[in-house]
Amino acid sequence: MKEKNPRVVLQINERPKFLQWILLSIQHLFAMFGSTVLVPALTGMSPAVALVSSGIATLTFIVITRGKVPSYLGSSFAFINPILVAKSLATDPNSGVGSGDFLVGCFFVGLTYACVALVISKVGTQWLMKLLPPIVVGPVIMVIGLGLASTAVGMVTNNIDTQGYDLKYVAVGFVTLTITILVAVFTKGFLSVIPVLIGIVGGYIFSSLLGLVNFTTVLQADWFEVPPFTFPFIDYTPGISTRILLLMIPVSIVPIAEHIGHQLVLSKVVDKDLIKDPGLDKSMLGDGVATMFAALLGGPPNTTYGENIGVLAITRAYSIYLFIGAAIFAILFGFCGKIAAVLSTIPTPVMGGVSILLFGIIASSGLRMLVENKVDFSLKRNLIIASVILVIGIGGAAIHVGDLFSLEGMALASIIGIVLNQILPGKESIDFKQMFKE
């Protein structure tokens, strides 16, 4: 039997003392808070619903992985642009897209994770590694960040009321971005894990001094309020739109690859092979079911959070009970009307300021994946794959076949990248027939 590492504060299944449990759980809550509420804030969804759905998603994930994977699930940045596009289509009476179709798309994203988990349970992970190598995933991740660049800049420069350039907005965005960068670079320990949250708080305070925050809704809000959940068949009639599915499902390759990377890093942090026990199929299934539950509540797709893995590495407290506590706190925060009201008053340039950094980091993380995996760009195949993905994804290329079929932007770039990687010389293709015989 393996001896306990004396440097480990809490093992995965070790129950913490009550005060320790509360404090460390709140720490994980803070680590995920900024990013989890930022996604719904950018997409016009409810931050309160996102908080509740992330808490339920995390508890679901813990149950499916049998309490063996200490992870927190929050809103996925990969689906910001697809959700924005889907919601804009819903406002067009000629598009044939319903108001709740994007939530159906989110549900099918979770179903995609579940299908991948089923295949992994039957044939292992080798096929997935071949299908999603760094030369494909890296540029796709870059497309996610760079494709949202104009959105972030617009939030900082354009006043949503006057629809014109606003120097106050620029100042707020600059101050928010500066605070976030300073905290990320010059602080250590736990503070270095939550620069986004501190940047938002700092930007919010500065916005208040400039008179950009209206506290009326906060004063009028009740302490307890039920979040504005959006349930199928009650708040909308679910419709399966091929256009929305083709817009969202291909993007799933990014959080799937992200999930695998997080499990590998987490395995090193906790000194346990989580890919084998409970298995990548279990954790992927947990991610998928969690996302399906979130969609049924009206929340965005979820993904495991690297921010919380960073907290684990810093604190060396790996207890699954901390994530149960953080999930419960997130659900309670979601039902607190005052907190929801405060979130709704955060000025657009504050979110834009942190978005400049976050979207840039997303793009840079794609580049980092290419560098760390030593992708050789002297090879023509690699240069071609990356180039085509970047231009098609950022340029917003699209294929439309009447109202029946539509594939565009990031989704189209992802599929073309996968196909190019398989058909260009120099890469071993996937033998699906042999795979299913194993």
Side-chain angles (χ1 to χ4, degrees), residues 134-144 366 370 377 385-387 389-390:
I135 186 55
V136 173
V137 178
V140 169
I141 293 175
M142 294 174 69
V143 165
I144 293 174
L370 295 173
F377 277 97
I385 293 170
S387 301
I389 291 175
L390 288 171

Side-chain angles (χ1 to χ4, degrees), residues 57-354:
T58 300
L59 295 176
T60 302
F61 180 86
I62 290 172
V63 170
I64 292 177
T65 56
R66 304 193 299 275
K68 294 184 177 182
V69 183
S71 289
Y72 194 93
L73 275 67
S75 307
S76 173
F77 278 81
F79 296 94
I80 292 176
N81 200 52
I83 290 175
L84 288 174
V85 173
K87 294 186 75 172
S88 68
L89 288 173
T91 62
D92 182 0
N94 299 318
S95 67
V97 176
S99 61
D101 287 3
F102 81 98
L103 289 174
V104 177
C106 294
F107 183 88
F108 271 84
V109 166
L111 193 60
T112 301
Y113 297 162
C115 291
V116 171
L118 177 63
V119 177
I120 290 174
S121 68
K122 299 296 183 182
V123 300
T125 61
Q126 196 62 33
W127 68 278
L128 191 58
M129 303 301 182
K130 290 182 179 180
L131 190 68
L132 302 175
I135 186 55
V136 173
V137 178
V140 169
I141 293 175
M142 294 174 69
V143 165
I144 293 174
L146 296 176
L148 291 166
S150 60
T151 300
V153 173
M155 293 171 70
V156 169
T157 56
N158 298 322
N159 189 314
I160 57 176
D161 295 322
T162 64
Q163 297 298 317
Y165 180 86
D166 192 318
L167 189 58
K168 282 187 177 181
Y169 270 46
V170 175
V172 170
F174 178 76
V175 168
T176 303
L177 176 61
T178 301
I179 293 172
T180 307
I181 292 174
L182 291 176
V183 173
V185 174
F186 295 105
T187 61
K188 295 181 180 180
F190 174 61
L191 289 179
S192 66
V193 183
I194 56 170
V196 172
L197 181 61
I198 295 176
I200 290 175
V201 172
Y204 189 86
I205 294 173
F206 184 68
S207 298
S208 301
L209 297 177
L210 294 181
L212 296 178
V213 180
N214 186 349
F215 293 101
T216 303
T217 55
V218 179
L219 296 174
Q220 293 176 345
D222 295 324
W223 281 103
F224 177 82
E225 286 185 10
V226 177
F229 296 115
T230 307
F231 298 108
F233 301 107
I234 297 176
D235 299 299
Y236 66 95
T237 301
I240 297 179
S241 167
T242 304
R243 191 171 183 179
I244 297 301
L245 295 184
L246 290 173
L247 181 68
M248 301 189 74
I249 290 178
V251 182
S252 300
I253 70 170
V254 176
I256 287 173
E258 183 180 46
H259 180 96
I260 296 171
H262 283 169
Q263 296 309 299
L264 291 172
V265 172
L266 188 57
S267 294
K268 292 181 181 179
V269 171
V270 302
D271 194 23
K272 180 182 177 183
D273 191 350
L274 302 175
I275 300 296
K276 290 185 178 180
D277 182 24
L280 186 61
D281 58 327
K282 296 292 191 304
S283 61
M284 189 74 71
L285 177 62
D287 211 336
V289 174
T291 292
M292 286 188 273
F293 277 151
L296 293 175
L297 294 175
N302 288 293
T303 185
T304 50
Y305 262 24
E307 292 93 328
N308 295 90
I309 295 177
V311 173
L312 285 177
I314 292 171
T315 62
R316 298 192 300 276
Y318 310 141
S319 174
I320 198 71
Y321 292 98
L322 304 182
F323 292 89
I324 294 174
I328 293 173
F329 277 123
I331 294 172
L332 293 176
F333 272 36
F335 279 90
C336 180
K338 293 289 186 185
I339 292 178
V342 169
L343 294 176
S344 68
T345 62
I346 298 176
T348 301
V350 173
M351 290 303 190
V354 294

